[in-house]
Amino acid sequence: MHRFAINRRLAAFLGTLCFCLLVVLAGCVSKSGGPAKERTAYTVTDSTGTVLSLPGPPQRIVSVSISSDEILLALVPPSRLAAVTYLADDPGISNVTAPVKSIAGRVRSVTPEALLKLNPDLIVAPDYVKPDMVKTFRDVGIPLYVYHTDTNIREVEETIRALGTLVQEPDKANRLVLTMEQRLQAVQKRVADIPAARRKRVAYYGAGGFYYMPKSSFQDICRKAGGADVTEDLSYDKPGILPQEILVDLNPDVFMITAWNYDGNHDPDKMARELLANPAYGETKAVREKAVAILPATHILSLSQHIVDAVEDLAQALYPDHFPKGGTP
């Protein structure tokens, strides 16, 4: 037992030593990275209430979520990002596969050791990252900005503005949000005359079944598209898979499937066929009318500016007669 305790202490000491060496090396690299540019210091406050002091606009940003990948690439050139997530290369979920080709770094493991090797001068992370990782970076003085995980389009717009301030590009952020609002208004104008009785109720189907997600971005997408998430009046505390009998009782008008075959075993067309052939759902309106909307996961699952694409996709799928064939809202 005594030897085990000593070994654990030694391992902890060596791990701390290695991490400190990485910090020192990262500092050395950043100091030798060429002539310094004129920079003006500023402060920002993240979603946790933490105030970050930055010496100037960050030039080696590390993004650890696909949402911040997409937002940041709309605000700054790829040259200002040291790394994005590995998901940014996946066309099934990423809207930025082209611009990330010139970015060398990829985040595959959200650990202090992995991120520090990327030599960041700013890390942008969602609020679901582990608190001990956040604390570690703040303890060693590397700015880590935590943003809120959004549940509706308004919050996405707030995050875009916040990240615009963070990277010192507020005008770009405001223009991006303005464009989002204009596109949303265009959709809502086209569906405004649809009476409440004809508004389509949508059930979100995934690999495990039909999803229930309280206060989710999907609910807001449905509302903005002129429809409704069929589960929005349920009062379960946590997200999960709906029992078949509850889904049948809710009787959705449309089943929605995301087109992301992430592991080769989730072909959306096959999922749609199996869903319509399932006798358990045979009495629902969606099955009777063979109403299945297969929409890009790049949009439906987005918590960036591309969430507006999801609203346009869904509105056109629900009410094709309200949109010009092959056109945009």
Side-chain angles (χ1 to χ4, degrees):
M1 181 64 72
H2 178 66
R3 179 179 297 176
F4 177 71
I6 291 174
N7 288 339
R8 287 187 61 186
R9 289 172 186 165
L10 180 59
F13 170 76
L14 291 174
T16 302
L17 179 60
C18 289
F19 182 73
C20 291
L21 287 172
L22 284 171
V23 173
V24 172
L25 289 173
C28 293
V29 172
S30 62
K31 289 178 181 177
S32 61
K37 298 179 180 179
E38 185 178 347
R39 308 174 81 191
T40 302
Y42 62 101
T43 62
V44 291
T45 303
D46 74 3
S47 66
T48 70
T50 300
V51 177
L52 280 71
S53 297
L54 299 171
Q59 303 300 313
R60 289 194 57 80
I61 305 168
V62 169
S63 166
V64 302
S65 83
I66 184 64
S67 298
S68 54
D69 292 345
E70 294 180 349
I71 295 172
L72 290 168
L73 280 164
L75 302 177
V76 301
S79 60
R80 287 183 59 185
L81 277 84
V84 292
T85 66
Y86 70 96
L87 289 173
D89 297 304
D90 185 342
I93 193 64
S94 170
N95 294 284
V96 290
T97 55
V100 300
K101 289 179 180 178
S102 63
I103 300 172
R106 292 295 182 271
V107 175
R108 297 181 180 277
S109 176
V110 184
T111 64
E113 291 79 8
L115 298 187
L116 194 60
K117 289 178 182 178
L118 298 167
N119 188 26
D121 59 4
L122 173 68
I123 299 170
V124 180
D127 57 9
Y128 53 78
V129 297
K130 294 180 179 180
D132 58 342
M133 192 201 80
V134 175
K135 183 178 184 302
T136 297
F137 273 97
R138 288 179 174 163
D139 285 348
V140 299
I142 296 176
L144 188 150
Y145 183 95
V146 178
Y147 70 88
H148 173 63
T149 302
D150 303 321
T151 59
N152 57 55
I153 295 173
R154 179 186 57 80
E155 291 181 353
V156 171
E157 292 173 344
E158 290 175 355
T159 294
I160 290 171
R161 288 195 176 99
L163 294 185
T165 299
L166 174 66
V167 299
Q168 295 289 274
E169 294 289 355
D171 292 340
K172 284 186 179 180
N174 287 332
R175 287 195 297 269
L176 185 56
V177 170
L178 177 60
T179 299
M180 292 171 65
E181 284 298 312
Q182 291 171 339
R183 292 171 62 191
L184 289 171
Q185 290 168 11
V187 171
Q188 291 165 345
K189 183 177 179 181
R190 287 191 177 274
V191 301
D193 64 341
I194 300 174
R198 287 191 55 225
R199 299 264 167 166
K200 300 293 182 68
R201 297 164 64 248
V202 186
Y204 181 178
Y205 183 74
F210 287 97
Y211 290 113
Y212 166 71
M213 297 167 286
K215 295 182 179 179
S216 70
S217 59
F218 179 68
Q219 289 184 353
D220 202 33
I221 290 168
C222 289
R223 285 190 290 266
K224 296 294 194 301
D229 176 357
V230 74
T231 71
E232 68 178 6
D233 293 328
L234 298 179
S235 57
Y236 299 136
D237 293 333
K238 297 179 180 180
I241 303 297
L242 285 177
Q244 286 186 347
E245 61 273 15
I246 293 179
L247 190 281
V248 172
D249 287 342
L250 291 172
N251 195 18
D253 299 293
V254 178
F255 295 150
M256 196 281 296
I257 297 173
T258 56
W260 184 26
N261 193 358
Y262 53 89
D263 61 357
N265 298 315
H266 294 86
D267 176 73
D269 293 318
K270 181 180 178 182
M271 290 170 66
R273 291 192 299 270
E274 292 175 348
L275 185 58
L276 293 176
N278 189 334
Y281 304 120
E283 295 304 311
T284 62
K285 294 178 184 177
V287 171
R288 292 201 305 269
E289 297 179 10
K290 294 182 171 53
V292 179
I294 301 176
L295 303 181
T298 51
H299 300 163
I300 288 291
L301 300 181
S302 173
L303 289 177
S304 73
Q305 64 274 16
H306 294 284
I307 195 171
V308 176
D309 295 294
V311 174
E312 294 173 348
D313 294 341
L314 184 59
Q316 292 182 49
L318 297 181
Y319 311 110
D321 55 325
H322 280 65
F323 296 87
K325 188 172 182 180
T328 62

